[in-house]
């Protein structure tokens, strides 16, 4: 999870009372919801959501929950398919120059924003220029199009985008919600209100954002003029649903209670301990999807002792008993990660993995690093100093299963003599500490449908203060060269070969400790039909209908 701002806990309680490494592939699609006759228009669908965006402007916020929710409002130039290929959307076609630095897009005619403003070449230019402008303070969208130079309006329905260098991930970036399009009118009238959501958030999408009550819910209504879903989408016209409501219920049993009691038709983020309960109810179904990108991973700070020493990083990797740990945390519903990249990511390459820890090797590595004594509690020492590492976290944004995983990692590392200190912080205290590099480990996940996410997470120029998320604080010239090369190579096979080398080096250097292959699990009432996922594993509601709705 990318860390957003805190939820309004008091309000949520009111609602609830009314919710690999140097030592060591699976995917799934949405479960078929089954036919129920022709789709029916109308009705309100309520989603019990596990997270609330702190900012609803995807051009500013890096949060995956922002991108997922606002996919209902903002369309993209193109759509990415799960196999990594692309389909027309707001653009009907495109050409790339021979040197890979100029992209020319032909735009779909007849598209309008929900405020009546036409979608045209000027709208594309205004939005992309805004993303790239430093004043926007984009935390992720700008990084997605780092080589962006300019957009030229060729004519009303043609734009030419220039890059400073070839950039293979560019099409994938353009397919994300982060590079969706605001109405130029809303950008001009109220740019400072876009993060707040509600009516100020105006796109071309299948729904309009009509209201937002912080800490409680967000409400969207059908865009009756919508007729430009991506090529290949099962439904091209306006959404079937009349209204789409998200209720923010971060507590797992509260979300499941809302689903089973009929207060919600969909529960996003079903916790592993509740899957049996949902499956046992014949009215319900579970739908699962493996998201692309980087799953829940522990990043080791390479610029600060003790993890500045590769031997200690590798010892930590060898200490983890992933299979046993995941069995206890996820009840056998997650498989150990075989790479820092999810198997759903184009370019994923499995690395050799150990199903069990190699603690004998961990001991040898720690002895060789000079930590060859132990204190009375069994922790390693060097000249009287204990081998301790700090793992700060924000409690409000760390689900119970991840807290349990943190405890398990602490126990596993403790068995080889590394003390892990879990430091609970408020978000306002965590972010400055993280940005200054005052930690030894941090853990998070980062969904992305292109392997170029590894550049964001491991490139030496991608630190938190530089707009990136290089939590390991790596400064590896070899890795940098490979990452840059991979971002410029257009040939899929050559890119995949480079990313295989990159993943092997990350594992061999012990920069990060992947844990499990993530799985997005959604619980839905059987009357909910047509629910699918996009290439990012974000649920799509434009083609959803309610069996029996009037």
């Amino acid at each position: 999870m990318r860390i957003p701002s805190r939820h309004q806990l008091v309000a949520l309680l009111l609602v609830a009372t009314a919710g690999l490494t140097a030592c060591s592939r699976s995917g799934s699609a949405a479960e078929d919801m089954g036919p129920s006759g022709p789709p029916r228009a109308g009705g309100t669908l309520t989603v019990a959501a596990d997270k609330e965006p702190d900012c609803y402007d995807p051009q500013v916020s890096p949060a995956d929950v922002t991108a997922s929710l606002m996919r209902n409002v903002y369309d993209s130039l193109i759509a990415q398919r799960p196999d990594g290929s692309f389909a027309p959307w707001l653009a009907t076609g495109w050409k790339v120059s021979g040197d890979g630095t100029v992209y020319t897009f032909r735009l779909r005619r007849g598209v309008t924003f929900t405020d009546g403003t036409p979608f045209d070449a000027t709208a594309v230019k205004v939005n992309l220029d805004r993303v790239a402008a430093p004043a926007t303070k984009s935390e992720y969208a700008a990084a997605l199009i780092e080589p962006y130079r300019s957009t030229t309006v060729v004519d009303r329905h043609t734009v030419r985008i220039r890059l400073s260098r070839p950039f293979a991930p560019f099409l994938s970036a353009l397919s994300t919600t982060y590079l969706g399009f605001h109405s130029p009118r809303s950008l001009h009238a109220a740019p400072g209100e876009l993060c707040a959501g509600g009516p100020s958030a105006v796109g071309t999408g299948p729904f309009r954002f009509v209201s937002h009550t912080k800490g409680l819910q967000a409400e969207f209504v059908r865009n009756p003029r919508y007729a430009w879903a991506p090529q290949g989408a099962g439904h091209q016209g306006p959404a079937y649903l009349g209204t789409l409501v998200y209720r923010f219920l971060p507590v797992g049993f509260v979300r499941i209670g809302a689903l089973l009691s009929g207060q919600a038709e969909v529960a996003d983020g079903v916790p592993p301990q509740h899957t049996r309960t949902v499956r046992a109810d014949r009215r319900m179904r579970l739908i699962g999807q493996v998201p692309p990108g980087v799953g829940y991973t522990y990043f080791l700070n390479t610029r600060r002792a003790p993890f500045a020493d590769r031997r200690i990083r590798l010892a930590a990797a060898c200490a983890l008993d992933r299979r046993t740990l995941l069995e206890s945390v996820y009840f056998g519903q997650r498989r150990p990660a075989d790479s820092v990249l999810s198997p759903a990511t184009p370019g994923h390459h499995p690395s050799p993995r150990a199903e069990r820890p190699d603690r004998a090797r961990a001991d040898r590595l720690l002895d060789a690093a000079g930590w060859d004594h132990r204190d009375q509690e069994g922790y390693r020492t060097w000249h009287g100093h204990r081998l301790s590492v700090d793992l700060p976290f924000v409690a409000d944004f760390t689900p119970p299963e991840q807290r349990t995983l943190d405890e398990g990692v602490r126990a596993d590392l403790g068995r080889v003599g590394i003390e892990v200190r879990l430091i609970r912080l408020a978000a306002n205290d965590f972010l400055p500490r993280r940005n200054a590099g005052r930690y030894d480990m941090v853990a998070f996940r980062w969904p992305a449908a292109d392997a170029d996410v590894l550049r964001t997470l491991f490139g030496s120029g991608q630190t938190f203060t530089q707009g990136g998320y290089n939590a390991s604080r790596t400064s590896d010239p070899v890795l940098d060269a490979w990452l840059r090369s991979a971002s410029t190579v257009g040939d899929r096979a050559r890119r995949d070969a480079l990313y295989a080398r990159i993943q092997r080096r990350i594992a061999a250097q012990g920069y990060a400790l992947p844990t499990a292959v993530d799985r997005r699990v959604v619980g839905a009432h059987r009357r909910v039909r047509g629910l699918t996922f996009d290439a990012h594993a974000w649920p799509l509601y434009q083609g959803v209908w309610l069996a029996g709705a009037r």
Side-chain angles (χ1 to χ4, degrees):
M1 176 180 69
R2 300 175 192 140
I3 294 178
S5 66
R6 71 190 68 199
H7 296 287
Q8 302 296 303
L9 297 179
V10 174
L12 288 170
L13 288 173
L14 292 174
V15 170
T17 60
L20 258 149
T21 71
C23 289
S24 62
R25 165 157 160 157
S26 72
S28 63
E31 196 176 302
D32 181 15
M33 297 303 289
S36 63
R40 301 184 179 184
T44 296
L45 183 136
T46 299
V47 179
D50 59 342
K51 297 184 287 289
E52 177 184 7
D54 64 329
C55 170
Y56 286 90
D57 183 355
Q59 294 181 3
V60 173
S61 172
D64 53 307
V65 63
T66 299
S68 178
L69 225 81
M70 299 308 285
R71 181 84 288 177
N72 297 299
V73 175
Y74 299 116
D75 292 334
S76 298
L77 280 179
I78 57 177
Q80 183 167 348
R81 301 184 181 101
D83 66 359
S85 62
F86 301 97
W89 194 348
L90 295 183
T92 60
W94 56 92
K95 294 181 180 179
V96 185
S97 65
D99 64 358
T101 63
V102 180
Y103 288 72
T104 303
F105 292 90
R106 298 184 305 277
L107 305 182
R108 195 164 185 163
R109 296 171 184 267
V111 177
T112 59
F113 292 93
T114 55
D115 63 3
T117 303
F119 172 78
D120 56 17
T122 298
V124 174
K125 175 177 173 58
V126 167
N127 276 268
L128 293 181
D129 285 351
R130 176 183 187 252
V131 168
T136 303
K137 298 182 179 179
S138 170
E139 295 184 41
Y140 184 50
L144 284 174
I145 53 170
E146 179 194 358
Y148 176 80
R149 290 184 60 186
S150 64
T151 296
T152 300
V153 175
V154 178
D155 58 45
R156 187 173 181 183
H157 296 102
T158 309
V159 293
R160 183 173 296 123
I161 302 173
R162 296 184 182 276
L163 308 179
S164 60
R165 68 173 190 275
F167 192 59
F170 188 59
L171 291 178
S172 181
L174 290 177
S175 75
T176 67
T177 318
Y178 302 107
L179 294 169
F181 297 98
H182 293 286
S183 166
R185 185 184 301 174
S186 65
L187 287 177
H188 177 74
E193 298 177 12
L194 296 176
C195 266
S200 61
V202 178
T204 62
F207 292 92
R208 290 189 300 111
F209 197 166
V210 293
S211 68
H212 168 230
T213 304
K214 191 169 179 62
L216 290 175
Q217 69 177 39
E219 182 175 340
F220 303 79
V221 299
R222 175 201 291 129
N223 172 8
R225 294 181 294 180
Y226 194 74
W228 41 82
Q231 185 184 83
H235 175 51
Q236 289 291 322
Y240 295 118
L241 297 170
T243 305
L244 176 63
V245 177
Y246 288 84
R247 292 181 63 198
F248 303 120
L249 303 173
V251 180
F253 76 85
V254 177
R255 284 198 308 283
I256 302 309
L259 176 67
L260 299 181
S261 67
Q263 297 178 62
E265 288 76 32
V266 172
D268 200 358
V270 176
Q273 63 269 31
H274 294 298
T275 56
R276 287 185 179 180
T277 302
V278 177
R279 189 178 287 116
D281 191 320
R282 294 183 178 181
R283 303 169 302 161
M284 305 297 164
R285 291 225 180 162
L286 289 173
I287 313 169
Q289 183 83 353
V290 174
V294 174
Y296 196 67
T297 297
Y298 294 85
F299 297 87
L300 310 184
N301 189 343
T302 61
R303 297 193 197 179
R304 167 169 152 156
F307 287 137
D309 190 326
R310 175 175 175 265
R311 294 168 296 186
I312 298 176
R313 299 196 301 270
L314 296 183
C318 293
L320 286 187
D321 184 353
R322 288 176 178 78
R323 183 158 294 280
T324 300
L325 188 57
L326 299 180
E327 285 286 339
S328 62
V329 175
Y330 294 108
F331 305 93
Q333 298 171 40
R334 301 289 187 275
R335 302 179 70 176
D338 60 8
S339 169
V340 69
L341 276 185
S342 159
T345 315
H348 161 265
H349 179 79
S351 300
R353 72 170 189 253
E355 298 294 349
R356 299 295 176 186
D358 188 349
R359 289 178 179 142
R361 186 183 179 209
D363 286 336
R364 293 194 298 271
L365 286 164
L366 292 171
D367 287 345
W371 297 88
D372 52 359
H373 291 79
R374 293 185 183 246
D375 60 20
Q376 292 181 340
E377 295 182 58
Y379 294 115
R380 299 218 171 222
T381 62
W382 178 78
H383 293 303
H385 298 285
R386 177 180 286 186
L387 180 53
S388 299
V389 295
D390 292 344
L391 173 55
F393 67 96
V394 181
D396 289 354
F397 309 135
T398 307
E401 61 269 21
Q402 290 177 6
R403 291 285 302 277
T404 305
L405 195 60
D406 290 347
E407 292 287 354
V409 169
R410 176 166 70 172
D412 277 355
L413 268 60
R415 290 185 179 95
V416 298
I418 303 173
E419 180 188 35
V420 178
R421 297 182 295 215
L422 301 177
I423 301 175
R424 178 179 180 140
L425 296 172
N428 290 341
D429 296 323
F430 173 85
L431 293 175
R433 180 171 182 154
R434 182 203 67 178
N435 292 350
R438 290 187 289 111
Y439 60 86
D440 300 303
M441 307 170 68
V442 290
F444 56 86
R445 55 174 46 87
W446 195 273
D450 193 283
D452 186 61
V453 65
L454 296 177
R455 184 176 55 86
T456 300
L457 298 180
F458 295 98
S460 61
Q462 299 290 324
T463 64
F464 292 119
T465 54
Q466 293 170 305
Y469 279 79
N470 180 359
S472 299
R473 309 189 79 205
T474 55
S475 182
D476 183 336
V478 173
L479 194 61
D480 284 341
W482 292 351
L483 288 166
R484 186 175 180 87
S485 293
S487 74
T488 62
V489 172
D491 180 74
R492 181 78 261 174
R494 290 178 59 198
R495 284 193 81 205
D496 288 350
L498 278 168
Y499 282 123
R501 295 173 67 187
I502 288 165
Q503 289 164 79
R504 287 195 296 266
R505 184 169 182 85
I506 290 169
Q509 295 296 319
Y511 292 144
L513 308 180
T515 58
V517 174
D518 271 348
R519 184 176 174 83
R520 185 167 198 155
V521 180
V522 174
H525 197 285
R526 287 182 181 270
R527 66 191 293 256
V528 177
R529 308 291 176 170
L531 181 58
T532 60
F533 297 93
D534 70 3
H536 305 270
W538 296 331
L540 298 174
Y541 291 101
Q542 183 253 347
V544 169
W545 78 96
L546 297 173
R550 293 290 183 266

